[in-house]
Amino acid sequence: MTTPHATLGTLLRTLIDQLDSAVAEAYSASGLDYKPRFTPIIRALSQHGPARIKDIADGMGVSHSAVSQTISALVRAKWVKLQPGADSRERIVHLTPYAKARLPLLEQHWATTAKAAASLNQDIGLSLEDVLRSALKALQDQPFEERLRKAAQA
């Protein structure tokens, strides 16, 4: 695919679309009702046990709202359940028996995805994950809004 006039945002969305659609298709082909965006939450719960939504969001570095929306989808798909925490406003996210039974298959998918990512890294000659982490760190140090203001003043 050639995208000579694509901007950075378009390129990033295109990359995400291609990666996510391929991974989603692999899940579907193996009979899983599972979306790639579920993975960080399911992995965190499988590695660390039940957790508050706030703690999951903090660990992922995303908003509470974004995690809440994904958890709602996970509840509907029977991957997680919510139980009250010590504070009546707090909800604790737990893997369901359905999810626990499918973890070995998910882990196989995750290993396959990691191998495919390594193949992509080899083809492009760098670690895409490292590039993305570096870009996010640079944006943490100097947000894009600030970069836009400086660029407009130059």
Side-chain angles (χ1 to χ4, degrees), residues 40-122:
I41 295 169
I42 296 297
R43 275 190 147 163
L45 295 172
S46 70
Q47 291 171 357
H48 306 292
R52 299 179 311 160
I53 294 172
K54 178 191 183 326
D55 295 333
I56 295 170
D58 289 348
M60 290 171 58
V62 298
S63 72
H64 184 282
S65 174
V67 171
S68 288
Q69 289 176 12
T70 302
I71 286 174
S72 292
L74 282 162
V75 168
R76 285 191 302 276
K78 310 274 190 271
W79 287 93
V80 302
K81 61 184 174 184
L82 296 173
Q83 295 182 335
D87 177 338
S88 62
R89 297 169 294 166
E90 176 178 86
R91 297 277 184 227
I92 308 298
V93 186
H94 296 259
L95 290 176
T96 62
Y98 174 88
K100 290 176 183 175
R102 286 156 182 79
L103 278 176
L105 181 55
L106 285 176
E107 289 168 351
Q108 288 175 359
H109 276 281
W110 298 337
T112 299
T113 301
K115 288 178 189 173
S119 168
L120 178 60
N121 290 343
Q122 186 173 6

Side-chain angles (χ1 to χ4, degrees), residues 13-24:
R13 280 187 290 282
T14 302
L15 177 64
I16 293 291
D17 288 346
Q18 289 188 21
L19 296 175
D20 274 0
S21 64
V23 173

